[in-house]
Amino acid sequence: MSFTETDHGSEGHGAHGHGAAVPGAENPGGEHETAFKRDQKERLMLWLLIGGDGLFLVLELFTWFYLRALNTSGLWNGAKCSKANPCTDGLGNPINGPIQKADPKHAIIIAACTVIAAGFVWIAESAARRDAGKRAVSTAAGVGFLFLLVALGWQIYQFQVLPFTTIDGAYASTYEFFMGSTLAHLILLGFIMLGLWIRASKGRYAGATWYRVRLIRFFAVWIAVSTVILVAVGALFY
Amino acid sequence: MTTAVAPPLLEDTQLGPKAGGFYRYQNIWTGLGFGIFLGFVAWLVSHATVQGSNWGTDMVVTCTMVAWVVGFNIGMGTFNAPIHWILGHDQTHEDELYAAGVGQGSSRYLKFCTDHKVVGTQYLVLVMVLFGVGGTLAMMIRTQLITPHSSFLDPQTYNAIVTIHGMVMIIATIIMVSGPFANFIMPIMIGAKDMAFPRLNAMSFWVVVSAVPCLLATFFLGGVNAGWTTYAPLSVQAPAAMDAFAMTIITFVVSVTVAGVNTIVTVVTMRAKGMTMGRLPIFTWGTVVGGALGLYAMPAFLAVMTMMITDRATGTSFFVPEVGGSQWLYENIFWIMGHPEVYVILLPPVAAVLEIASTFARKPVFGYKVAIAGFVAIAALSIMVWAHHMFTTGWAPNLAAPFMLTTELISIPTGIIFLCTIGTLWKGSIWTRLPMWFVYLFVWNFIIGGVTGIYLSDVPADQFFHGDMFVTAHFHYTLLGGAMIGATAAVCYWFPKVSGRMLNERVGKVAFWMIAIGIQVTYFGQFWEGFQGMARRIAYYNPHYETANQMSTAGAYLLMAGWLVFLYMMINGWRHGKIAPANPWHAKTLEWKVPTPVPLENFLVDPVVTSDPYTYGEGVPDGQEVPESAPAPEPELVPAGSAPGDQIDAGGAS
């Protein structure tokens, strides 16, 4: 392999702050890469992570439809009494009775709040892109964060009001798995949106760094989409 | 020729007393301390609140393990940067340099260090430790099997050891090349100054470190006696150790996912000018395809272990048929991960073997593009073969034939890559140094592992062999004889660049012959056991199998002794070996063009690539001797900053 060397050949390779600061970078003190290079790297990373998360979502749906189709011993949604919580006919067989379907109202509220939160991140991005000032960006980010907190709180509340518990058969197990997965995603998105709000308030997303808000928007939209899918499956395929 | 003034080395930068912030006070000891503290607090709280419930013990173990992992990583500094980011602070230039290990000497190897070479070295040491643990467990297994009714281990302990041996080795082999060499070597190979995300890189290492104590804790929590596949319902019924086992996997998945993403992004976005995808060294392709495949496989591992833990700790019924679940669900999701994972292990070492073969045969990689297509084809096919592990379970018999077909199809790209290796060596002027010995051994073992795999893909043959020692011998030939020997070749090849010193090849050849013979004796013994019908995972056996078992155990002792000699060679080489020149093998790829030891950010001046990676013998008129086609004398030691091939006038601009 032949090569020559140049002191300006591959700008943006700096990983530890070698060289002068590059205009347009969000962080003038630490990393010294062009905005384009950072955006390229971070976008690709995000798409790959979303791809992996998408596969996890597919496996959640696979689990739901697989167990629903098998309906082992009629216990997909008919395990009011289970082996873990014995309530038998005297011969050791569980007395089956359809468990009540989870009220879709709660899930729809959670999904709606998540979608609205993602929408406000989109508004924040557009404000940053227009260079509308830190107040516009931080307001949109802050409102989005509040909606996300509502979604998060409601998700926790939904665990309290479910008409079944984890032990009540395959439907109950999978439904709560969906809820747990949504909760974990909302917590992660919550940290990111809190960061967005705080950083926007400090004017970190003015002008050339709007692309970093776009990155958060990609993730927020993905979380909103995956939440809607889980809610739809949970509501429509009892 | 471009001329430029070489800038001063970054590691010579004088950092202020506050550089690094919290990182200054964090190292492995704070990690251990904080992890143990948080784990203890979680144990106290969960013990007080949920111990009395139906699944109390499982919940307590799970909470304790989660707290340990989080606490260890808080103590190490893994979360410093994300917390700073959320709070709106940024790391300064000096903080970045401190995190990269500037001014910390060897203590940076015990810290959260973002320099990819430090992370690569940390991985290398971790892999050796894991192989030490896994190898010791293997010797305990073989010692138990030396006689039909040995009292060395009781059956429960034996099964627990078999399980943990399997999982330790799986973890170690997944990271044995992608950890050390995709971190240390690959960025330099493509002309990058570091990985795309140095902090994520360090995170991937320390997260996997925090998983290891979880796995070893299983021995103190009743042991996991369900085999490494931990099939339901055995795993649902297992002691609390199973919770620690599942937490190990979940933690490991986080690490592998982050590392895989980092590898792909690095190669796609951090290549030097002129380093087109068609000019990437073949090793880089192997790590990228392996990383991408890991990204596909790991979510399945995460999903199945999460469901397993909730079945055990919260009473869900994913895998419990009595309450509406199905153990086939477990097997399907597990093997959707499980078979691609074999190729996550295999592809990077195979790519390293091709790289080494090219260097020592002084020829370009034979069928470079075909080999890349082979990697991609293997990755694509490997996600369509999982049910061949379930031929005998009764799941979907109508699908047996299609899965047999896809499994047999995968032998085609595998065979093509094998032919590329042979073609690279064919008629080459081979310089047989220590790495090449292991390449030869790889070729021998891999053909045996591959051919016996075709038998197992065949439904009727699998009905006979499934669950017996033939399968054990097959996958050990593939993963130990193939992948691990390929990784060993990689260690020998890149050791001079990593350590700055040469290995003692005389000792290395002693190790080589012990390992080579040990493998054949051990696993031919197991093939023999399998043909006789001996089942896997049994502590006592019929005396009919005794001779084959004694043969296998004798081979295992020889094999272990060989690895110990190899380990001695490495440690001795690291401490007392001859100082390595920058390019001892006269190789063409970029990692050999930088000085040894490699400076921070690798290149004093950014390289611009102007040709393919394997231009051996080019530019020589017909009829003349090709200077690099024959064994070349070792060059003199080259001072740091002026490696051979540098087209740079460091004395000043002209």
Side-chain angles (χ1 to χ4, degrees), chain B residues 468-514:
Chain B
D468 77 13
M469 292 300 287
F470 184 92
V471 180
T472 313
H474 153 70
F475 69 71
H476 277 87
Y477 253 109
T478 311
L479 295 182
L480 192 162
M484 203 167 148
I485 292 300
T488 309
V491 168
C492 297
Y493 180 61
W494 281 304
F495 187 87
K497 185 55 66 181
V498 172
S499 69
R501 291 177 182 272
M502 301 299 290
L503 290 170
N504 183 332
E505 297 214 358
R506 185 172 296 179
V507 179
K509 280 175 193 164
V510 172
F512 167 82
W513 284 110
M514 293 170 78

Coordinates of all heavy atoms in Angstrom, one line a residue, chain B residues 468-514:
Chain B
D468 N -24.6 -35.6 20.9 CA -23.5 -36.4 21.3 C -22.1 -35.8 21.1 O -22.0 -34.6 20.7 CB -23.5 -37.8 20.7 CG -23.1 -37.9 19.3 OD1 -22.5 -36.9 18.8 OD2 -23.3 -38.9 18.6
M469 N -21.1 -36.5 21.5 CA -19.7 -35.8 21.5 C -19.2 -35.5 20.1 O -18.3 -34.7 20.0 CB -18.7 -36.8 22.2 CG -19.0 -36.9 23.7 SD -19.0 -35.3 24.6 CE -17.2 -35.0 24.7
F470 N -19.8 -36.1 19.1 CA -19.4 -35.7 17.7 C -19.7 -34.2 17.5 O -18.8 -33.5 16.9 CB -20.3 -36.5 16.7 CG -19.9 -36.3 15.3 CD1 -18.9 -37.1 14.6 CD2 -20.4 -35.2 14.5 CE1 -18.6 -36.9 13.3 CE2 -20.1 -35.0 13.2 CZ -19.1 -35.8 12.6
V471 N -20.8 -33.7 18.0 CA -21.1 -32.3 17.9 C -20.1 -31.4 18.6 O -19.6 -30.4 18.1 CB -22.5 -32.0 18.4 CG1 -22.9 -30.5 18.3 CG2 -23.6 -32.8 17.7
T472 N -19.7 -31.9 19.8 CA -18.7 -31.2 20.6 C -17.4 -31.1 19.9 O -16.8 -30.0 19.8 CB -18.5 -31.9 22.0 OG1 -19.8 -32.2 22.5 CG2 -17.7 -31.1 22.9
A473 N -17.0 -32.2 19.3 CA -15.7 -32.2 18.6 C -15.8 -31.3 17.3 O -14.9 -30.6 17.1 CB -15.4 -33.7 18.1
H474 N -17.0 -31.3 16.7 CA -17.1 -30.5 15.5 C -17.0 -29.0 15.8 O -16.2 -28.3 15.2 CB -18.5 -30.7 14.8 CG -19.0 -29.5 14.1 ND1 -18.5 -29.1 12.9 CD2 -20.0 -28.6 14.4 CE1 -19.1 -28.0 12.5 NE2 -20.0 -27.7 13.4
F475 N -17.7 -28.5 16.8 CA -17.6 -27.1 17.1 C -16.3 -26.7 17.7 O -15.9 -25.5 17.6 CB -18.9 -26.5 17.8 CG -19.1 -26.9 19.2 CD1 -18.3 -26.4 20.2 CD2 -20.2 -27.7 19.5 CE1 -18.6 -26.7 21.5 CE2 -20.5 -28.0 20.8 CZ -19.7 -27.6 21.8
H476 N -15.7 -27.6 18.4 CA -14.3 -27.3 18.9 C -13.3 -27.2 17.8 O -12.4 -26.3 17.8 CB -13.9 -28.2 20.0 CG -14.4 -27.9 21.4 ND1 -15.7 -28.4 21.8 CD2 -14.0 -27.1 22.4 CE1 -15.9 -27.9 23.0 NE2 -14.9 -27.2 23.4
Y477 N -13.4 -28.1 16.8 CA -12.6 -27.9 15.6 C -12.8 -26.6 14.9 O -11.8 -26.0 14.5 CB -12.8 -29.1 14.7 CG -11.7 -30.1 14.7 CD1 -11.9 -31.4 15.2 CD2 -10.4 -29.8 14.2 CE1 -10.9 -32.3 15.2 CE2 -9.4 -30.7 14.2 CZ -9.6 -32.0 14.8 OH -8.6 -32.9 14.8
T478 N -14.0 -26.2 14.9 CA -14.3 -24.9 14.2 C -13.9 -23.7 15.0 O -13.3 -22.8 14.5 CB -15.9 -24.8 13.9 OG1 -16.3 -26.1 13.3 CG2 -16.2 -23.7 13.0
L479 N -14.3 -23.7 16.3 CA -14.1 -22.5 17.1 C -12.7 -22.4 17.7 O -12.2 -21.4 17.8 CB -15.2 -22.3 18.1 CG -16.6 -22.1 17.6 CD1 -17.7 -22.0 18.7 CD2 -16.7 -20.9 16.6
L480 N -12.3 -23.6 18.2 CA -10.9 -23.6 18.7 C -9.9 -23.8 17.6 O -9.0 -23.0 17.4 CB -10.8 -24.7 19.8 CG -9.5 -24.6 20.7 CD1 -9.7 -25.4 21.9 CD2 -8.3 -25.1 20.0
G481 N -10.1 -24.9 16.9 CA -9.1 -25.2 15.8 C -9.1 -24.2 14.7 O -8.0 -23.9 14.1
G482 N -10.3 -23.6 14.4 CA -10.3 -22.6 13.4 C -10.2 -21.2 13.9 O -9.1 -20.5 13.8
A483 N -11.2 -20.7 14.6 CA -11.2 -19.3 15.0 C -10.1 -18.9 16.0 O -9.4 -18.0 15.8 CB -12.6 -19.0 15.6
M484 N -10.0 -19.8 17.0 CA -9.0 -19.4 18.0 C -7.5 -19.6 17.5 O -6.7 -18.7 17.9 CB -9.2 -20.3 19.2 CG -8.6 -19.8 20.5 SD -9.3 -20.7 21.9 CE -7.9 -20.6 23.0
I485 N -7.3 -20.5 16.6 CA -6.0 -20.6 16.1 C -5.7 -19.5 15.1 O -4.6 -18.9 15.0 CB -5.8 -22.0 15.4 CG1 -5.8 -23.1 16.4 CG2 -4.5 -22.0 14.5 CD1 -4.7 -23.0 17.4
G486 N -6.8 -19.0 14.4 CA -6.6 -17.8 13.5 C -6.3 -16.6 14.4 O -5.5 -15.8 14.0
A487 N -7.0 -16.5 15.6 CA -6.7 -15.4 16.5 C -5.3 -15.5 17.0 O -4.6 -14.5 17.2 CB -7.7 -15.4 17.6
T488 N -4.8 -16.8 17.2 CA -3.4 -16.9 17.7 C -2.4 -16.5 16.7 O -1.4 -15.8 17.0 CB -3.2 -18.4 18.1 OG1 -4.2 -18.9 18.9 CG2 -1.9 -18.6 18.8
A489 N -2.7 -16.8 15.4 CA -1.9 -16.3 14.3 C -1.9 -14.8 14.3 O -0.8 -14.1 14.1 CB -2.4 -16.8 13.0
A490 N -3.0 -14.2 14.6 CA -3.1 -12.7 14.6 C -2.3 -12.2 15.8 O -1.6 -11.1 15.6 CB -4.6 -12.3 14.8
V491 N -2.3 -12.8 16.9 CA -1.5 -12.4 18.1 C 0.0 -12.4 17.7 O 0.7 -11.4 17.9 CB -1.7 -13.3 19.3 CG1 -0.7 -13.0 20.4 CG2 -3.1 -13.1 19.9
C492 N 0.4 -13.5 17.0 CA 1.8 -13.6 16.7 C 2.2 -12.5 15.6 O 3.3 -12.0 15.7 CB 2.1 -15.0 16.1 SG 1.9 -16.3 17.3
Y493 N 1.2 -12.2 14.7 CA 1.5 -11.3 13.7 C 1.6 -9.9 14.1 O 2.5 -9.1 13.8 CB 0.4 -11.5 12.6 CG 0.5 -10.6 11.4 CD1 1.6 -10.7 10.5 CD2 -0.5 -9.6 11.1 CE1 1.6 -9.9 9.4 CE2 -0.4 -8.9 10.0 CZ 0.6 -9.0 9.1 OH 0.7 -8.2 8.0
W494 N 0.6 -9.5 15.0 CA 0.6 -8.1 15.4 C 1.3 -7.8 16.7 O 1.3 -6.6 17.2 CB -0.9 -7.6 15.4 CG -1.4 -7.3 14.0 CD1 -0.8 -6.4 13.1 CD2 -2.5 -7.8 13.4 NE1 -1.6 -6.4 12.0 CE2 -2.6 -7.2 12.1 CE3 -3.5 -8.7 13.8 CZ2 -3.6 -7.5 11.2 CZ3 -4.5 -9.0 12.8 CH2 -4.6 -8.4 11.6
F495 N 1.7 -8.8 17.4 CA 2.4 -8.6 18.7 C 3.5 -7.6 18.6 O 3.6 -6.7 19.5 CB 3.0 -10.0 19.2 CG 3.5 -9.9 20.6 CD1 2.7 -10.1 21.7 CD2 4.8 -9.7 20.8 CE1 3.2 -10.1 23.0 CE2 5.4 -9.6 22.1 CZ 4.5 -9.8 23.2
P496 N 4.4 -7.6 17.6 CA 5.4 -6.6 17.6 C 4.9 -5.2 17.5 O 5.5 -4.3 18.1 CB 6.2 -6.9 16.3 CG 5.9 -8.4 16.0 CD 4.5 -8.6 16.5
K497 N 3.7 -5.0 16.9 CA 3.2 -3.6 16.8 C 2.5 -3.2 18.1 O 2.6 -2.1 18.6 CB 2.2 -3.6 15.6 CG 1.6 -2.2 15.4 CD 2.7 -1.1 15.1 CE 3.5 -1.3 13.8 NZ 4.5 -0.3 13.7
V498 N 1.9 -4.2 18.8 CA 1.2 -3.9 20.0 C 2.2 -3.7 21.2 O 2.0 -2.8 21.9 CB 0.2 -5.1 20.4 CG1 -0.4 -4.9 21.7 CG2 -0.9 -5.2 19.3
S499 N 3.2 -4.6 21.3 CA 4.0 -4.5 22.4 C 5.3 -3.8 22.1 O 6.1 -3.4 23.1 CB 4.4 -6.0 22.9 OG 5.2 -6.6 21.9
G500 N 5.7 -3.7 20.9 CA 7.0 -3.1 20.5 C 8.1 -4.1 20.6 O 9.3 -3.7 20.5
R501 N 7.8 -5.4 20.9 CA 8.8 -6.4 21.0 C 8.5 -7.6 20.2 O 7.4 -7.8 19.8 CB 9.0 -6.8 22.5 CG 9.6 -5.6 23.3 CD 9.7 -6.0 24.8 NE 10.2 -4.9 25.5 CZ 11.5 -4.7 25.8 NH1 12.4 -5.5 25.2 NH2 11.9 -3.6 26.5
M502 N 9.6 -8.4 19.9 CA 9.4 -9.6 19.1 C 9.2 -10.8 20.0 O 9.7 -10.8 21.2 CB 10.6 -9.9 18.2 CG 11.0 -8.8 17.3 SD 9.7 -8.4 16.0 CE 9.8 -9.9 15.0
L503 N 8.4 -11.8 19.5 CA 8.3 -13.0 20.2 C 9.5 -13.9 20.0 O 10.1 -13.9 18.9 CB 7.0 -13.7 19.8 CG 5.7 -13.1 20.2 CD1 4.5 -13.7 19.4 CD2 5.5 -13.1 21.7
N504 N 9.7 -14.8 20.9 CA 10.8 -15.8 20.8 C 10.2 -17.0 19.9 O 9.4 -17.8 20.4 CB 11.2 -16.3 22.1 CG 12.4 -17.3 22.0 OD1 12.5 -18.0 21.0 ND2 13.2 -17.4 23.0
E505 N 10.6 -17.0 18.7 CA 9.9 -18.0 17.8 C 10.3 -19.5 18.1 O 9.5 -20.4 17.8 CB 10.2 -17.7 16.3 CG 9.7 -16.3 15.9 CD 9.2 -16.2 14.5 OE1 9.3 -17.3 13.8 OE2 8.7 -15.2 14.1
R506 N 11.4 -19.6 18.7 CA 11.8 -21.0 19.1 C 10.9 -21.6 20.1 O 10.3 -22.7 20.0 CB 13.3 -21.0 19.6 CG 13.8 -22.4 19.9 CD 15.2 -22.4 20.2 NE 16.1 -22.0 19.1 CZ 17.4 -21.9 19.2 NH1 18.0 -22.2 20.2 NH2 18.1 -21.4 18.1
V507 N 10.6 -20.8 21.1 CA 9.6 -21.2 22.1 C 8.2 -21.3 21.5 O 7.4 -22.2 21.8 CB 9.5 -20.1 23.3 CG1 8.5 -20.6 24.3 CG2 10.9 -20.0 24.0
G508 N 7.9 -20.4 20.6 CA 6.6 -20.4 19.9 C 6.4 -21.7 19.1 O 5.3 -22.2 19.1
K509 N 7.5 -22.2 18.5 CA 7.3 -23.4 17.7 C 7.1 -24.6 18.6 O 6.3 -25.5 18.3 CB 8.5 -23.6 16.8 CG 8.4 -22.8 15.6 CD 9.7 -22.9 14.7 CE 9.6 -21.8 13.7 NZ 11.0 -21.6 13.1
V510 N 7.7 -24.6 19.8 CA 7.4 -25.6 20.8 C 5.9 -25.6 21.2 O 5.2 -26.6 21.1 CB 8.3 -25.5 22.1 CG1 7.8 -26.5 23.1 CG2 9.7 -25.7 21.7
A511 N 5.4 -24.4 21.5 CA 4.0 -24.2 21.8 C 3.2 -24.7 20.6 O 2.1 -25.3 20.8 CB 3.7 -22.7 22.1
F512 N 3.6 -24.3 19.4 CA 2.8 -24.6 18.2 C 2.6 -26.1 18.1 O 1.4 -26.6 17.9 CB 3.5 -24.1 17.0 CG 2.9 -24.6 15.7 CD1 1.7 -24.1 15.2 CD2 3.4 -25.8 15.1 CE1 1.2 -24.6 14.0 CE2 2.9 -26.3 13.9 CZ 1.8 -25.7 13.4
W513 N 3.7 -26.9 18.2 CA 3.5 -28.3 18.0 C 2.7 -29.0 19.1 O 1.9 -29.9 18.9 CB 4.9 -29.0 17.9 CG 5.5 -28.7 16.5 CD1 6.5 -27.9 16.2 CD2 5.0 -29.2 15.3 NE1 6.7 -27.9 14.9 CE2 5.8 -28.7 14.3 CE3 3.9 -30.1 14.9 CZ2 5.6 -29.0 12.9 CZ3 3.7 -30.4 13.6 CH2 4.6 -29.8 12.6
M514 N 2.9 -28.5 20.3 CA 2.1 -29.0 21.4 C 0.6 -28.7 21.2 O -0.3 -29.6 21.4 CB 2.5 -28.4 22.8 CG 3.9 -28.8 23.2 SD 4.5 -27.9 24.6 CE 3.7 -28.7 25.9

